[in-house]
Amino acid sequence: VRGWMGVAIQEITPALAKSFKLPEQRKGVLISDVNENGPSHAAGIKRGDVVIAFNGKEVSSVSQLRNLVARTMVGKDAQVKVLRDGKEQTIAVKVMERPSDEMLAKRESAPPKEKEQGETIKPPDNVLASLKIQALDNALMSQLNIPAKTTGVVITGVEPGGPAEAAGLQRGDVIQEVNHETVKNVDDYLKAANKIKKDELAVLLVNRQGNSLFVAVNPK
């Protein structure tokens, strides 16, 4: 039986380290999602936490943390040391048995969406200028294969050669946060995006085919 914490994790790139105000050379992995029925959520671990140690072992990569968790006895408390807002804290997480994929895939049905036509939205004058975004509607969601419960704004175009393309953003990604501000609709997106200065980097939380990941967009 493999241990399970109920989190999605990703490696920390230098740009992400900067946007999460992490010290240079910071080891650790970034939590990009917390399963609301999983043990980490119950223990109080949050998206954006950086795991720096697990049961006293320093964490340096995603695969290493996965192995440490998988090898932990189910039902045992693990001491998870995280960095949140620049402060270290240790959180006890009861490692559980990994549910079957069918259980994990059970999603609530879609909330009714407000209709917004695919109007073109004036891009902000910063690193996000090279992104075309649109409100999510049911047609787009089925066309781009976006899970029912997803909220945010969808990327419908990425300018070739721009900073967004360099960051790895793709058409069909759903933006759910801009610089740690929640984005539920186009207004939220524009409000958050317009706060970014011309030469600043932006960190986006995107949902790509049901998986959350943080992406840092660096100005040229």
Side-chain angles (χ1 to χ4, degrees):
V1 172
R2 292 169 69 86
W4 179 71
M5 271 174 60
V7 290
I9 50 182
Q10 65 183 99
E11 304 287 356
I12 297 171
T13 61
L16 282 173
K18 202 164 127 189
S19 61
F20 280 87
K21 302 188 176 47
L22 299 175
E24 287 289 313
Q25 307 308 314
R26 172 31 95 202
K27 291 259 196 295
V29 303
L30 179 60
I31 292 186
S32 58
D33 207 9
V34 181
N35 182 311
E36 52 200 34
N37 305 314
S40 291
H41 185 269
I45 283 187
K46 292 190 164 77
R47 169 187 285 155
D49 285 352
V50 175
V51 179
I52 51 178
F54 184 89
N55 278 344
K57 289 196 181 65
E58 265 200 26
V59 169
S60 55
S61 70
V62 163
S63 53
Q64 180 219 5
L65 178 58
R66 284 214 177 104
N67 288 335
L68 288 171
V69 175
R71 288 205 302 266
T72 304
M73 270 184 63
V74 166
K76 270 239 181 310
D77 270 3
Q79 300 300 316
V80 183
K81 190 192 263 190
V82 301
L83 203 60
R84 178 184 300 166
D85 301 327
K87 294 186 193 59
E88 287 186 12
Q89 47 179 296
T90 300
I91 299 174
V93 178
K94 194 184 276 313
V95 172
M96 280 162 57
E97 182 178 340
R98 186 183 160 81
S100 70
D101 290 337
E102 294 81 79
M103 292 292 296
L104 286 174
K106 278 204 175 116
R107 283 225 168 82
E108 296 99 277
S109 59
K113 284 270 176 295
E114 326 107 76
K115 267 279 168 268
E116 285 187 63
Q117 292 319 304
E119 73 250 75
T120 31
I121 289 136
K122 188 176 174 303
D125 184 18
N126 53 34
V127 289
L128 302 181
S130 59
L131 283 182
K132 281 200 178 60
I133 62 115
Q134 238 177 290
L136 267 184
D137 60 32
N138 293 338
L140 260 179
M141 287 173 89
S142 58
Q143 184 195 335
L144 295 167
N145 201 4
I146 293 166
K149 221 179 71 171
T150 316
T151 55
V153 299
V154 65
I155 297 177
T156 53
V158 181
E159 211 171 278
E165 187 189 56
L169 289 167
Q170 303 170 6
R171 180 170 185 269
D173 286 350
V174 178
I175 300 175
Q176 300 188 309
E177 281 182 12
V178 173
N179 282 356
H180 314 300
E181 290 189 29
T182 305
V183 169
K184 287 202 166 12
N185 51 40
V186 170
D187 288 346
D188 289 352
Y189 172 79
L190 290 174
K191 216 168 30 217
N194 282 316
K195 287 183 189 165
I196 301 165
K197 296 188 179 65
K198 223 181 155 99
D199 52 356
E200 273 181 347
L201 74 87
V203 65
L204 306 182
L205 177 74
V206 301
N207 191 300
R208 178 175 297 164
Q209 264 134 20
N211 298 311
S212 297
L213 66 155
F214 285 105
V215 177
V217 186
N218 256 322
K220 276 271 189 303

